Amino acid sequence: MNELYAADPSACKHSSDLQLLLRSFGPFTGRYLANYPSDWTSKVRSALAATGEVEEKRIKLLLQRARDDSTLIERLPFAWNPAKSWIENASNLIYGSHPQLSGIISDKTTPPFIQPLDELDLPPTAEERIPGKSTEYLRISDILIKQSTELFFIDPYLNPLTTRYRNTIKAFLFSAAGGRCQSIQFWMRASELFKHGSRGATMTDLKNELRAWSKMVKFRNGTQLQVFAVEDEASREKMHGRYLLSKKGGIRLDQGFQELPQDRKVEVGPIGKHPLSDLLSIYLDGNHDMKVVEHANIVF
């Protein structure tokens, strides 16, 4: 999950090649394509300029769509030496002690980690099993978090006041503050959040804690953070699945955002287009019959 690849701008010979390339990436697959170098799209269009006017329009549309849906990740802090070839520059990002890419797509050479486009055979999604640790949760979701203006954390057992959730939520807030985020919503079950034995927690306790963390991560002015504590016992829509959602895409987390003992592993994977639409209808558009027992709204 969250893998970042780079593709040689000259690897595509036709718009169909470009479509095949882009289809293998994006939030619905759990892997992304780097806009590398920063004028990668211009280089692709130049490489395909001789394919005709109809092809040129299709290529322009494909590239714009890749930008809009965050298939193509821009503004990456990757070094570029114009005196070197694309493959030489990209190879510097994948070899060494701290690789910045998971793979390279180019027909120029085929050492390990480099694949020709016509042999590209990536799995439909990059789902995996990971240790239930905050660092791993952030690893598999950081790009989606930074690319999204609105984020929804859905977990019926979510309680940021407890130790098992605290590290993950703080890590996600730091990531969101470093991206485009303007709004964050936490959805949890009220009976779990305020149950007996949870330090006598109240919504005021939770608001104060989140406000303190958010000052540490320095959200931009106007960022909105909301908490929804619900009752769903008698509801048609019950909170069961645990998700990180945005309009760009979503991630299913089998055990939610809690850290687990003894390196227990959890299943994580990208959410498909149609399930995401259903989930956004519930949590973004409000098409549900759950009762909101407690609600907090913090604006920075």
Side-chain angles (χ1 to χ4, degrees):
M1 286 283 294
N2 220 40
E3 298 162 341
L4 189 62
Y5 286 69
D8 191 330
S10 65
C12 298
K13 309 305 179 188
H14 305 280
S15 63
S16 57
D17 293 339
L18 180 61
Q19 185 176 37
L20 173 65
L21 172 68
L22 296 175
R23 192 181 292 161
S24 298
F25 300 94
F28 297 121
T29 70
R31 66 178 77 89
Y32 300 86
L33 191 64
N35 186 64
Y36 181 75
S38 58
D39 61 346
W40 184 83
T41 57
S42 297
K43 290 182 182 296
V44 170
R45 292 179 66 181
S46 295
L48 297 173
T51 56
E53 184 177 345
V54 174
E55 280 280 277
E56 185 177 348
K57 288 181 179 178
R58 190 175 182 214
I59 290 159
K60 183 179 179 181
L61 179 62
L62 287 169
L63 291 171
Q64 186 58 53
R65 189 180 297 154
R67 280 174 158 162
D68 292 344
D69 65 15
S70 293
T71 292
L72 196 60
I73 305 302
E74 303 184 274
R75 300 184 182 88
L76 295 165
F78 293 166
W80 175 261
N81 184 345
K84 294 184 177 181
S85 68
W86 185 90
I87 194 68
E88 289 173 319
N89 276 286
S91 294
N92 289 334
L93 300 177
I94 200 167
Y95 299 112
S97 56
H98 299 289
Q100 295 170 288
L101 295 172
S102 296
I104 296 172
I105 300 160
S106 175
D107 295 329
K108 297 294 188 295
T109 184
T110 56
F113 304 112
I114 302 180
Q115 303 179 62
L117 180 58
D118 60 2
E119 295 180 12
L120 187 64
D121 186 24
L122 297 171
T125 71
E127 61 188 353
E128 59 179 299
R129 295 182 73 239
I130 64 171
K133 300 296 181 184
S134 61
T135 51
E136 285 292 287
Y137 293 139
L138 183 61
R139 176 184 67 79
I140 58 100
S141 58
D142 187 58
I143 291 179
L144 181 62
I145 290 173
K146 283 187 165 63
Q147 293 295 311
S148 301
T149 56
E150 296 177 86
L151 292 166
F152 302 81
F153 297 88
I154 316 298
D155 184 343
Y157 303 100
L158 177 62
N159 186 345
L161 294 172
T162 60
T163 302
R164 60 179 178 164
Y165 283 102
R166 183 177 291 116
N167 290 337
T168 304
I169 298 305
K170 288 175 75 171
F172 280 18
L173 291 179
F174 270 101
S175 177
R180 304 174 179 177
C181 188
Q182 300 171 1
S183 172
I184 295 176
Q185 293 186 15
F186 295 103
W187 288 76
M188 69 269 301
R189 190 172 286 146
S191 60
E192 294 293 334
L193 181 62
F194 303 120
K195 66 183 178 182
H196 179 70
S198 184
R199 302 193 313 166
T202 66
M203 184 59 83
T204 299
D205 295 329
L206 182 54
K207 285 173 65 176
N208 290 339
E209 190 84 350
L210 292 173
R211 189 176 283 113
W213 295 353
S214 299
K215 286 181 179 178
M216 289 171 54
V217 304
K218 298 180 180 178
F219 278 119
R220 67 187 70 182
N221 290 340
T223 300
Q224 185 180 39
L225 194 157
Q226 296 188 73
V227 177
F228 294 87
V230 305
E231 285 182 358
D232 65 344
E233 289 84 355
S235 301
R236 180 187 68 256
E237 295 289 352
K238 293 183 182 294
M239 293 191 72
H240 176 68
R242 301 150 198 205
Y243 312 104
L244 168 63
L245 305 176
S246 87
K247 292 179 181 179
K248 298 282 189 181
I251 297 173
R252 169 185 50 80
L253 302 102
D254 189 48
Q255 294 292 319
F257 306 98
Q258 62 179 319
E259 291 197 293
L260 301 176
Q262 300 175 345
D263 289 330
R264 281 173 51 196
K265 289 194 173 183
V266 299
E267 294 181 12
V268 297
I271 299 171
K273 190 172 185 177
H274 295 301
L276 177 68
S277 179
D278 288 344
L279 290 166
L280 289 178
S281 175
I282 295 169
Y283 296 105
L284 174 61
D285 300 329
N287 294 320
H288 63 82
D289 59 347
M290 294 182 290
K291 181 181 178 181
V292 177
V293 179
E294 294 269 9
H295 174 238
N297 187 19
I298 305 169
V299 180
F300 300 96

